[in-house]
Amino acid sequence: MNDMRLDWSDVRVFLAIARCGTLGRAAKQLGQTQPTMGRRLRALEETLGHTLFQRTSDGFVLTDDGAAVFAYAERMEEEALGFTRALTGKETQLSGLLRVSSSDWFGIHVLAPVFARFLAQHPGISIELLTDSRLYNLARHEADLLFRIVPFEESDIIQRKLMRIDYALYGHVDIAPPSLGNGAGHALISMDSAFGSLPDVEWIKRMLPGARIVFGSNNRGVQARMCAEKSGLAVLPCLLGDMTPGIRRIDLGEAPPGRDVWLGYHRDLRRVARLRALLDVTIDALAKP
């Protein structure tokens, strides 16, 4: 044990498998192949002399030994990432990559035009925009800048409320009736069941209790397209609904609840020039006084 030499890259493999549950997803997260991931895990287990995972038909499950060292591995990760962030935070050149995460529709309709203007002004910088439902971890450097609809709770994240998003009920221009009553006989397009407790979902159920949800998706762009295809009524962000051809707002006498958009980044990156430049352009374009 005194001669044991841990390879940090093998510990990263251990953490990725523990978090993802399968070699495939872990390999995708780290940008490696499944055989490489399996080989690195076996090497780590041989070095430690302990089996860290139970291999099951559903994936990899931590053994008691694996669970016992998981917290230590996370602390190693935090120190390694802090080492990297401390150096990254001193970068002053307007060049390099920025990884940004947001929801799909917000990335397409709100951020993309801003980013296009920014990149035209700063040709040495590149942006990678990640638009999915996963909550990326800023401390683990999975992204440099996040946009989301709930505030950040972590003490090491610098955040600000960027803007307020209004929502409205939409229907196709040809079939949206002037009065919906309690919604009986009408179809609704809504979020999928995993997001059934969102404020706008609860609002439409309260306003049109007789309507039936016929289609659900966690993608607002898909909801807007289904509404334009005459599949039903949908509550949409106005920035998306108003620019979707073929649909119009429907007034029920009460507007759906709006949402705030927050941006956040790790405090260690606050002096990175390319991030500061992107923040300045984004806030100037989108923040409301």
Side-chain angles (χ1 to χ4, degrees):
M1 291 293 289
N2 292 334
D3 294 332
M4 181 188 301
R5 295 181 181 273
L6 284 180
D7 187 330
W8 162 237
S9 60
D10 290 341
V11 178
R12 287 185 67 224
V13 168
F14 164 72
L15 284 170
I17 297 173
R19 289 165 177 157
C20 296
T22 68
L23 281 181
R25 288 196 293 267
K28 182 178 180 181
Q29 183 183 99
L30 296 186
Q32 300 187 17
T33 65
Q34 288 191 48
T36 298
M37 296 287 286
R39 185 168 60 253
R40 301 291 289 274
L41 175 60
R42 288 192 298 272
L44 178 61
E45 290 180 324
E46 290 173 2
T47 298
L48 298 174
H50 293 271
T51 300
L52 302 176
F53 292 98
Q54 177 183 356
R55 280 70 166 172
T56 72
S57 57
D58 295 325
F60 285 64
V61 179
L62 284 171
T63 62
D64 289 344
D65 288 337
V69 299
F70 181 77
Y72 293 97
E74 285 197 311
R75 287 201 288 272
M76 291 175 64
E77 176 187 52
E78 178 57 32
E79 292 299 324
L81 292 173
F83 180 91
T84 303
R85 288 195 305 265
L87 296 177
T88 303
K90 296 182 180 300
E91 294 180 2
T92 59
Q93 67 271 24
L94 286 173
S95 62
L97 172 68
L98 287 170
R99 288 168 57 86
V100 182
S101 173
S102 77
S103 64
D104 41 38
W105 79 268
F106 192 81
I108 295 169
H109 297 283
V110 180
L111 295 181
V114 176
F115 289 174
R117 294 193 297 271
F118 174 81
L119 293 174
Q121 298 168 5
H122 302 287
I125 299 175
S126 57
I127 296 175
E128 187 174 282
L129 181 59
L130 312 168
T131 58
D132 56 41
S133 58
R134 176 186 169 196
L135 293 178
Y136 287 86
N137 190 301
L138 291 170
R140 291 202 293 267
H141 209 61
E142 294 175 347
D144 301 307
L145 178 63
L146 298 186
F147 295 86
R148 67 188 210 185
I149 58 176
V150 292
F152 298 81
E153 298 180 354
E154 302 91 333
S155 60
D156 54 0
I157 301 303
I158 298 175
Q159 64 179 312
R160 67 164 288 167
K161 185 165 65 174
L162 178 66
M163 62 191 301
R164 180 74 173 175
I165 301 292
D166 293 326
Y167 282 63
L169 179 66
Y170 290 84
H172 193 275
V173 293
D174 294 338
I175 63 175
S179 176
L180 297 175
N182 73 347
H186 292 283
L188 295 179
I189 299 162
S190 186
M191 299 296 291
D192 59 36
S193 56
F195 295 90
S197 62
L198 287 181
D200 58 282
V201 178
E202 295 182 343
W203 177 87
I204 194 61
K205 291 178 180 178
R206 176 172 58 83
M207 298 296 290
L208 299 175
R212 184 173 68 92
I213 296 177
V214 300
F215 181 82
S217 172
N218 67 347
N219 187 309
R220 296 287 189 180
V222 172
Q223 294 176 26
R225 180 57 187 269
M226 290 295 287
C227 186
E229 294 290 340
K230 304 182 181 182
S231 295
L233 309 172
V235 177
L236 300 169
C238 294
L239 290 172
L240 170 62
D242 289 351
M243 67 174 59
T244 301
I247 65 177
R248 66 175 183 181
R249 297 192 194 190
I250 300 174
D251 185 6
L252 296 183
E254 176 187 323
R259 305 301 296 270
D260 294 323
V261 176
W262 297 78
L263 65 80
Y265 54 96
H266 199 280
R267 65 185 180 191
D268 289 347
L269 302 184
R270 63 189 181 277
R271 295 188 181 90
V272 174
R274 62 181 180 275
L275 178 58
R276 294 302 321 171
L278 180 60
L279 287 169
D280 289 344
V281 170
T282 302
I283 292 171
D284 182 65
L286 302 177
K288 304 301 181 183

